[in-house]
Amino acid sequence: MSNLGNYIEKKVVVLTLDSRMLVGKLESFDQLTNLVLSNTLERVIRTPDDPEDSETVPLGLYIVRGDNVCLVGLVDESIENEIDWSKVRGATIGTTKHS
């Protein structure tokens, strides 16, 4: 994950092995892919049959352990700002585990 250096000080999305979606500015990382995010939000996407709206939960400064990181990607803020995240629905991703 040495390419993470290109993501420092940029807004990223992190998918975790337990299916969480975290969005924040990547402040730091190490050789074990431990991540430090600032202004972190967790996007809680509801299933299509759930009557509740999807929600965004503010977490602030957040550390993600490297053994829980599944994916890190840059956020296209122009696209993200056009999305009403409360109306987004989706199936649960499910869990992933290291082999």
Side-chain angles (χ1 to χ4, degrees), residues 8-10 13 25 31-32 39-40 42-43 54-55 58 68 70 73 79-81 91-92 97 99:
I8 292 291
E9 296 295 316
K10 295 182 180 165
V13 61
K25 185 169 75 168
Q31 69 276 9
L32 299 175
N39 301 314
T40 308
E42 179 176 1
R43 298 217 195 282
S54 294
E55 61 182 310
N68 196 26
C70 183
I79 293 173
E80 182 191 39
N81 293 335
T92 304
K97 60 183 177 179
S99 50

Side-chain angles (χ1 to χ4, degrees), residues 2-86:
S2 62
N3 290 337
L4 284 178
N6 297 328
Y7 293 1
I8 292 291
E9 296 295 316
K10 295 182 180 165
K11 193 172 194 178
V12 297
V13 61
V14 177
L15 294 180
T16 65
L17 294 179
D18 59 352
S19 301
R20 296 175 70 197
M21 183 188 313
L22 306 170
V23 179
K25 185 169 75 168
L26 182 63
E27 297 292 344
S28 181
F29 69 95
D30 66 12
Q31 69 276 9
L32 299 175
T33 319
N34 294 308
L35 307 175
V36 178
L37 304 173
S38 63
N39 301 314
T40 308
L41 306 171
E42 179 176 1
R43 298 217 195 282
V44 180
I45 307 300
R46 305 287 183 196
T47 59
D49 59 341
D50 191 332
E52 299 277 329
D53 281 346
S54 294
E55 61 182 310
T56 301
V57 179
L59 301 175
L61 186 64
Y62 203 76
I63 297 173
V64 184
R65 284 180 45 130
D67 61 357
N68 196 26
V69 173
C70 183
L71 175 137
V72 179
L74 287 176
V75 172
D76 185 328
E77 293 189 61
S78 63
I79 293 173
E80 182 191 39
N81 293 335
E82 305 238 344
I83 298 171
D84 180 355
W85 288 99
S86 69

